Amino acid sequence: MDLLKKKIIKKLDIDERFLFIDKAKISKNKKSATGFYKVKKNNWVFSSHLKSNPVYPGIFLIESMCQTAMLVIYDTILKVYSNRGVLRSVDIDFINPIDYKNAPINLKIEVKKLSYKRGVSICSIKLKSINNNKLISEGKITHFVSYKYSKKI
């Protein structure tokens, strides 16, 4: 299933200003998703973060990765729970930076749901540059919804 910005914003329940994916694809079995995001050369971050040698902040890369993962996670949990839950842990390794010299850069975020049990979802995530196929970051996130939000109660 292909999702564009408007559907992603609705599904994630966020404002467009906080969206860090431009489009996404969710697999038919809803166990994986691919997000896409373009970091433009004129992005405000490059003039504000590490100004002498501008680098795109890792926290925004993590947000792109989490937003893509939530597209898969929410498909499962919102059927069972009345709450979207919270991130429980983020374990991400940064391998290659995104610096101003290489912008614009097109990112591809690959998410695979590894497990879901009793409100806990674990996903593996890889973020790559489409421009040169370099791995930028990878890791896992864990998401949690308390049983008290179960729709069965």
Side-chain angles (χ1 to χ4, degrees):
M1 167 181 25
D2 288 353
L3 299 173
L4 297 176
K5 279 187 177 185
K6 285 185 180 182
K7 284 187 179 180
I8 296 169
I9 288 167
K10 184 175 180 180
K11 192 167 185 120
L12 296 179
D13 192 29
I14 60 174
D15 189 278
E16 185 174 2
R17 296 171 292 179
F18 200 70
L19 187 63
F20 288 92
I21 48 179
D22 297 321
K23 61 182 177 179
K25 293 181 182 181
I26 300 174
S27 67
K28 287 183 182 180
N29 65 9
K30 299 188 179 182
K31 292 186 179 185
S32 64
T34 305
F36 300 92
Y37 185 63
K38 184 175 186 172
V39 177
K40 299 175 184 170
K41 200 166 193 102
N42 66 349
N43 190 301
W44 66 272
V45 169
F46 288 125
S47 64
S48 305
H49 184 253
L50 304 173
K51 294 178 358 177
S52 62
N53 188 22
V55 175
Y56 196 74
I59 194 69
F60 292 160
L61 297 175
I62 290 172
E63 186 62 31
S64 294
M65 297 166 92
C66 288
Q67 287 181 7
T68 305
M70 290 307 123
L71 294 173
V72 173
I73 292 169
Y74 288 167
D75 266 346
T76 303
I77 66 165
L78 292 177
K79 293 175 185 168
V80 180
Y81 297 93
S82 62
N83 187 291
R84 292 176 182 271
V86 295
L87 272 178
R88 186 173 186 185
S89 67
V90 177
D91 182 15
I92 303 293
D93 293 322
F94 295 99
I95 293 117
N96 289 296
I98 297 176
D99 57 28
Y100 179 77
K101 294 175 277 197
N102 293 327
I105 189 163
N106 294 295
L107 302 176
K108 180 179 181 182
I109 305 113
E110 299 170 330
V111 173
K112 290 183 182 162
K113 186 168 26 172
L114 301 176
S115 68
Y116 169 74
K117 194 177 207 179
R118 289 185 230 114
V120 178
S121 301
I122 301 173
C123 294
S124 68
I125 307 173
K126 289 185 180 186
L127 189 144
K128 297 178 182 177
S129 164
I130 295 174
N131 300 38
N132 58 18
N133 205 32
K134 274 190 179 180
L135 183 63
I136 294 171
S137 55
E138 67 180 340
K140 290 183 182 175
I141 68 156
T142 304
H143 180 272
F144 172 73
V145 182
S146 172
Y147 181 74
K148 72 179 183 179
Y149 293 110
S150 174
K151 291 180 179 178
K152 294 178 184 176
I153 293 179

